[in-house]
Amino acid sequence: MTCPKCHSTNVTAQIVTESELKNAHHNVFWWLFIGWWWMIIKWVFLTIPALIIKIFSPKRQKLKQTQTTMWVCHQCGHNWRA
Ligand SMILES: [Zn+2]
């Protein structure tokens, strides 16, 4: 690997872990098979408890991690994605 800026071979690779939070959503099949009657039961029997749970329970989130390789040039300090 050579630096695209100064064409030096004095470069090192770094593994960078990037993470982003994604809200967890139920998929279409969950709504088709479980969602609709579960919502009816919930609204008929558990409206008030469900509302309380909704207020106090934390938002469901999924952690998505992606690894990217970053190259760093020691000659000119330029860094770029592989
Ligand atoms: Zn360079």
Side-chain angles (χ1 to χ4, degrees), residues 3-8 11 73-78 80:
C3 174
K5 227 176 176 183
C6 66
H7 303 289
S8 165
V11 292
C73 174
H74 295 283
Q75 202 73 34
C76 68
H78 181 62
W80 67 98

Side-chain angles (χ1 to χ4, degrees), residues 49-61:
L51 283 170
I52 292 161
I53 290 161
K54 226 178 182 180
I55 291 159
F56 290 104
S57 67
K59 262 192 174 179
R60 296 206 296 166
Q61 286 183 318

Side-chain angles (χ1 to χ4, degrees), residues 4-22:
K5 227 176 176 183
C6 66
H7 303 289
S8 165
T9 50
N10 189 15
V11 292
T12 50
Q14 279 184 306
I15 305 290
V16 180
T17 307
E18 290 172 345
S19 55
E20 58 173 296
L21 283 169
K22 272 201 164 185

